PDB file of all heavy atoms in Angstrom:
ATOM      1  N   ILE A   6      -1.588  71.354  44.564  1.00 96.00           N
ATOM      2  CA  ILE A   6      -1.092  71.655  45.833  1.00 96.00           C
ATOM      3  C   ILE A   6      -1.068  70.401  46.654  1.00 96.00           C
ATOM      4  O   ILE A   6      -2.112  69.743  46.838  1.00 96.00           O
ATOM      5  CB  ILE A   6      -1.946  72.704  46.587  1.00 96.00           C
ATOM      6  CG1 ILE A   6      -2.088  74.022  45.762  1.00 96.00           C
ATOM      7  CG2 ILE A   6      -1.313  73.007  47.974  1.00 96.00           C
ATOM      8  CD1 ILE A   6      -2.917  75.095  46.458  1.00 96.00           C
ATOM      9  N   ALA A  20       2.745  70.994  34.742  1.00 90.00           N
ATOM     10  CA  ALA A  20       3.719  70.866  33.667  1.00 90.00           C
ATOM     11  C   ALA A  20       5.114  70.520  34.151  1.00 90.00           C
ATOM     12  O   ALA A  20       5.928  69.977  33.404  1.00 90.00           O
ATOM     13  CB  ALA A  20       3.742  72.204  32.928  1.00 90.00           C
ATOM     14  N   LYS A  38      10.394  65.585  55.311  1.00 91.00           N
ATOM     15  CA  LYS A  38      11.292  65.227  56.471  1.00 91.00           C
ATOM     16  C   LYS A  38      10.924  63.820  56.903  1.00 91.00           C
ATOM     17  O   LYS A  38       9.850  63.264  56.570  1.00 91.00           O
ATOM     18  CB  LYS A  38      11.012  66.181  57.625  1.00 91.00           C
ATOM     19  CG  LYS A  38      11.398  67.527  57.435  1.00 91.00           C
ATOM     20  CD  LYS A  38      11.274  68.189  58.837  1.00 91.00           C
ATOM     21  CE  LYS A  38      10.971  69.615  58.760  1.00 91.00           C
ATOM     22  NZ  LYS A  38      10.790  70.227  60.067  1.00 91.00           N
ATOM     23  N   GLN A  53      -7.753  79.834  40.119  1.00 93.00           N
ATOM     24  CA  GLN A  53      -7.801  81.319  40.378  1.00 93.00           C
ATOM     25  C   GLN A  53      -7.370  81.491  41.842  1.00 93.00           C
ATOM     26  O   GLN A  53      -7.648  80.624  42.706  1.00 93.00           O
ATOM     27  CB  GLN A  53      -9.261  81.815  40.186  1.00 93.00           C
ATOM     28  CG  GLN A  53      -9.841  81.516  38.789  1.00 93.00           C
ATOM     29  CD  GLN A  53      -9.054  82.256  37.695  1.00 93.00           C
ATOM     30  OE1 GLN A  53      -8.788  83.398  37.812  1.00 93.00           O
ATOM     31  NE2 GLN A  53      -8.658  81.467  36.688  1.00 93.00           N
ATOM     32  N   LEU A 102      -8.892  69.156  50.904  1.00 96.00           N
ATOM     33  CA  LEU A 102      -9.816  68.969  49.910  1.00 96.00           C
ATOM     34  C   LEU A 102     -10.071  70.273  49.160  1.00 96.00           C
ATOM     35  O   LEU A 102     -10.073  71.403  49.754  1.00 96.00           O
ATOM     36  CB  LEU A 102     -11.159  68.470  50.440  1.00 96.00           C
ATOM     37  CG  LEU A 102     -11.140  67.144  51.236  1.00 96.00           C
ATOM     38  CD1 LEU A 102     -12.420  67.040  52.043  1.00 96.00           C
ATOM     39  CD2 LEU A 102     -11.003  66.028  50.227  1.00 96.00           C
ATOM     40  N   ARG A 105     -15.778  73.020  46.299  1.00 91.00           N
ATOM     41  CA  ARG A 105     -16.503  73.293  45.079  1.00 91.00           C
ATOM     42  C   ARG A 105     -17.524  74.376  45.288  1.00 91.00           C
ATOM     43  O   ARG A 105     -17.812  75.148  44.418  1.00 91.00           O
ATOM     44  CB  ARG A 105     -17.191  72.068  44.577  1.00 91.00           C
ATOM     45  CG  ARG A 105     -16.272  70.963  44.105  1.00 91.00           C
ATOM     46  CD  ARG A 105     -17.035  69.742  43.596  1.00 91.00           C
ATOM     47  NE  ARG A 105     -18.007  69.327  44.654  1.00 91.00           N
ATOM     48  CZ  ARG A 105     -18.245  68.099  45.005  1.00 91.00           C
ATOM     49  NH1 ARG A 105     -17.572  67.100  44.466  1.00 91.00           N
ATOM     50  NH2 ARG A 105     -19.152  67.794  45.885  1.00 91.00           N
ATOM     51  N   VAL A 110     -21.344  69.810  51.734  1.00 95.00           N
ATOM     52  CA  VAL A 110     -21.449  69.221  53.087  1.00 95.00           C
ATOM     53  C   VAL A 110     -20.321  68.115  53.206  1.00 95.00           C
ATOM     54  O   VAL A 110     -20.035  67.352  52.287  1.00 95.00           O
ATOM     55  CB  VAL A 110     -22.790  68.595  53.316  1.00 95.00           C
ATOM     56  CG1 VAL A 110     -22.874  67.874  54.674  1.00 95.00           C
ATOM     57  CG2 VAL A 110     -23.847  69.691  53.171  1.00 95.00           C
ATOM     58  N   ILE A 161     -29.845  72.883  49.959  1.00 49.00           N
ATOM     59  CA  ILE A 161     -30.584  73.627  48.946  1.00 49.00           C
ATOM     60  C   ILE A 161     -31.630  74.443  49.647  1.00 49.00           C
ATOM     61  O   ILE A 161     -32.547  73.861  50.246  1.00 49.00           O
ATOM     62  CB  ILE A 161     -31.206  72.694  47.888  1.00 49.00           C
ATOM     63  CG1 ILE A 161     -30.180  71.909  47.228  1.00 49.00           C
ATOM     64  CG2 ILE A 161     -32.044  73.500  46.937  1.00 49.00           C
ATOM     65  CD1 ILE A 161     -30.717  70.836  46.316  1.00 49.00           C
TER      66      ILE A 161
END
Side-chain angles (χ1 to χ4, degrees):
I6 302 178
K38 291 189 210 180
Q53 303 295 312
L102 301 163
R105 296 181 306 226
V110 177
I161 301 171

